[in-house]
Amino acid sequence: MKNLAQLGHDSDSLQQQRDKQIEKLKPRIQSNYFVQNKATKRKIKQKIDKNAVADSTLKQQLNQSLIENFPIANIDSVFETLDAQKKVMILENAVRRARDTKAQIDEQLIKIDKVDYHLVRHKIEWHRKFTLSFACFIFFFIGAPLGAIIRKGGLGMPVVISVLFFIVYYIIDTFGLKASKEEVWPPYMGMWLSSVVLFPIGVFLTYKAATDSAILNSDAT
């Protein structure tokens, strides 16, 4: 029941909410010490560059201090120096932390999927307001020429063929809608698929009717 302005506004709000949920994943992924060390080092270096230290000697000293205070060790080499008991403890701790991190990420992904569900449906409904109106013109360009093209059979034959075209439209539209809902295709592709397929047919039939074509006429020689 929302109009275009409401759909557009709510879609933007949902997109911002989705971006915030994704931003929450970053600190959880970067929770290990190795990545945190690299991140801390990068932040300090950016702060040095941001302050624009004029003295090149002082800047060099700061960078050297950064390397000394935040060294990035070879993790494999350090691990090999430990005894078997400590290795087992470290591995068990790593597995536990990985499982905890995975559980937190899965929980966050569930929230993102819920936002995606509503976001996709808002985009689908936005496009539907145009595709349904455009479909009326398509069927006008299909149904009206059929009455002029089909010279035999009275009203019944054009109606039957028009219904067949509508069934084709419905099948294609249902396929595109399902592909959009399942995020296989972007919403605009799924919702406009039926129109893209049938519009050239409508143009072709209109052209044949305008040129007084004898297509589908059994009496034509």
Side-chain angles (χ1 to χ4, degrees), residues 90-109:
I90 291 174
L91 291 176
E92 289 177 349
N93 184 55
V95 171
R96 183 175 62 255
R97 291 185 61 183
R99 288 174 178 170
D100 292 341
T101 302
K102 182 179 182 300
Q104 294 175 356
I105 292 174
D106 289 341
E107 180 182 355
Q108 201 69 25
L109 287 177

Side-chain angles (χ1 to χ4, degrees), residues 104-166:
Q104 294 175 356
I105 292 174
D106 289 341
E107 180 182 355
Q108 201 69 25
L109 287 177
I110 293 175
K111 297 180 181 179
I112 294 175
D113 288 340
K114 290 182 179 179
V115 176
D116 284 340
Y117 174 86
H118 294 289
L119 180 60
V120 168
R121 274 147 186 78
H122 274 72
K123 292 181 178 179
I124 287 174
E125 292 302 324
W126 191 90
H127 286 282
R128 194 197 298 272
K129 291 185 180 296
F130 295 96
T131 56
L132 289 179
S133 301
F134 191 65
C136 296
F137 288 99
I138 292 177
F139 282 107
F140 172 78
F141 285 113
I142 291 177
L146 284 176
I149 292 174
I150 303 175
R151 306 295 176 81
K152 188 175 181 179
L155 181 64
M157 185 59 66
V159 171
V160 171
I161 297 178
S162 298
V163 170
L164 291 177
F165 274 113
F166 176 78

Side-chain angles (χ1 to χ4, degrees), residues 10-204:
D10 292 346
S11 295
D12 293 339
S13 300
L14 289 169
Q15 185 64 49
Q16 293 177 1
Q17 183 179 349
R18 184 181 187 275
D19 294 339
K20 290 179 181 179
Q21 296 290 349
I22 293 176
E23 287 294 327
K24 291 181 180 180
L25 285 174
K26 293 182 180 180
R28 296 181 180 182
I29 296 175
Q30 296 176 346
S31 60
N32 62 79
Y33 295 109
F34 180 68
V35 175
Q36 188 175 357
N37 253 349
K38 293 173 66 177
T40 304
K41 182 177 179 179
R42 184 172 59 252
K43 288 179 181 178
I44 297 176
K45 193 168 185 178
Q46 290 174 352
K47 190 173 182 179
I48 294 174
D49 296 334
K50 185 177 180 180
N51 290 336
V53 180
D55 190 349
S56 58
T57 303
L58 177 59
K59 188 172 183 178
Q60 184 177 1
Q61 291 176 354
L62 290 173
N63 286 327
Q64 183 64 30
S65 175
L66 177 64
I67 296 174
E68 293 175 356
N69 293 329
F70 295 93
I72 300 178
N74 189 326
I75 303 300
D76 295 331
S77 300
V78 175
F79 182 76
E80 291 300 328
T81 61
L82 304 176
D83 55 37
Q85 184 177 0
K86 289 185 177 180
K87 287 181 179 180
V88 171
M89 293 176 59
I90 291 174
L91 291 176
E92 289 177 349
N93 184 55
V95 171
R96 183 175 62 255
R97 291 185 61 183
R99 288 174 178 170
D100 292 341
T101 302
K102 182 179 182 300
Q104 294 175 356
I105 292 174
D106 289 341
E107 180 182 355
Q108 201 69 25
L109 287 177
I110 293 175
K111 297 180 181 179
I112 294 175
D113 288 340
K114 290 182 179 179
V115 176
D116 284 340
Y117 174 86
H118 294 289
L119 180 60
V120 168
R121 274 147 186 78
H122 274 72
K123 292 181 178 179
I124 287 174
E125 292 302 324
W126 191 90
H127 286 282
R128 194 197 298 272
K129 291 185 180 296
F130 295 96
T131 56
L132 289 179
S133 301
F134 191 65
C136 296
F137 288 99
I138 292 177
F139 282 107
F140 172 78
F141 285 113
I142 291 177
L146 284 176
I149 292 174
I150 303 175
R151 306 295 176 81
K152 188 175 181 179
L155 181 64
M157 185 59 66
V159 171
V160 171
I161 297 178
S162 298
V163 170
L164 291 177
F165 274 113
F166 176 78
I167 293 174
V168 173
Y169 170 84
Y170 179 78
I171 293 173
I172 298 174
D173 185 66
T174 302
F175 170 78
L177 178 62
K178 184 176 180 180
S180 298
K181 285 184 176 180
E182 295 179 357
E183 301 183 40
V184 177
W185 287 353
Y188 70 90
M189 288 183 60
M191 297 306 296
W192 286 95
L193 177 64
S194 55
S195 299
V196 171
V197 172
L198 290 184
F199 180 70
I201 298 176
V203 173
F204 173 76

